[in-house]
Amino acid sequence: IKKAANIYIKYMKQELNGVGYTRKVTRKNESGKTVTFKSGALKKSIGYIPSKSQRSLTGYVGARSGKRAGKTFDGYYASILNEGRYGNGGNVRGKGWANRAYDKGQRQTEIALRNEVEKILNNTLLQLANS
């Protein structure tokens, strides 16, 4: 799943060219602490996010935020740039970059997943046949 997810990651990062801040931005967060967001933070935060369930074959591709993000690349404003919404009813025009990346990579990801599942099944069948 992670190998197939790399296709979406590539397209999401391509779609982010020219979207978002191009400079350092300093803001005060809810607790009043001054936080500096560096340019390129959203692009760096795009990655594979495994499912919390150990038994699930599910994974997510998107902007990591919070604990998963690390100190240097927080993608907290990914949904703001994609959907065009910003707290308390304010409006920001959405860019739709994640939706475009999904559309571009959908077919290739399906093919990659099918190939990976085929490899796993073939290896399992060979192991069962040899034992």
Coordinates of all heavy atoms in Angstrom, one line a residue, residues 3 73 86 97 113 120:
K3 N 3.9 1.6 -1.2 CA 4.5 1.8 -2.6 C 3.5 2.5 -3.5 O 3.9 3.4 -4.3 CB 5.0 0.5 -3.2 CG 6.2 -0.1 -2.6 CD 6.6 -1.3 -3.3 CE 7.9 -1.9 -2.7 NZ 8.3 -3.2 -3.3
F73 N 7.8 20.8 9.5 CA 6.9 20.7 8.4 C 5.4 20.4 8.8 O 5.0 19.3 8.6 CB 7.3 19.8 7.3 CG 7.8 18.4 7.8 CD1 7.0 17.4 7.9 CD2 9.2 18.3 8.0 CE1 7.4 16.2 8.4 CE2 9.6 17.1 8.5 CZ 8.8 16.0 8.6
Y86 N -11.8 28.9 6.2 CA -10.9 29.3 7.2 C -11.7 29.7 8.4 O -12.5 30.6 8.3 CB -10.1 30.5 6.7 CG -9.0 31.0 7.7 CD1 -7.9 30.2 7.8 CD2 -9.1 32.1 8.4 CE1 -6.9 30.6 8.7 CE2 -8.2 32.5 9.3 CZ -7.0 31.8 9.4 OH -6.1 32.2 10.3
W97 N -6.0 21.6 -5.0 CA -4.8 20.9 -5.4 C -4.9 19.4 -5.0 O -4.4 18.6 -5.8 CB -3.6 21.6 -4.8 CG -3.6 21.6 -3.3 CD1 -4.1 22.6 -2.5 CD2 -3.1 20.7 -2.4 NE1 -3.9 22.3 -1.2 CE2 -3.3 21.1 -1.1 CE3 -2.4 19.4 -2.5 CZ2 -3.0 20.4 0.0 CZ3 -2.1 18.7 -1.4 CH2 -2.3 19.2 -0.1
L113 N -1.4 -1.0 -7.1 CA -1.9 -1.8 -6.0 C -2.2 -3.2 -6.5 O -1.9 -4.2 -5.9 CB -3.2 -1.2 -5.5 CG -3.0 -0.2 -4.4 CD1 -4.4 0.5 -4.1 CD2 -2.4 -0.7 -3.2
I120 N 2.3 -10.5 -4.0 CA 2.1 -11.2 -2.7 C 1.4 -12.5 -2.8 O 1.8 -13.5 -2.2 CB 1.3 -10.2 -1.8 CG1 2.2 -9.0 -1.4 CG2 0.9 -10.9 -0.5 CD1 1.4 -7.9 -0.7

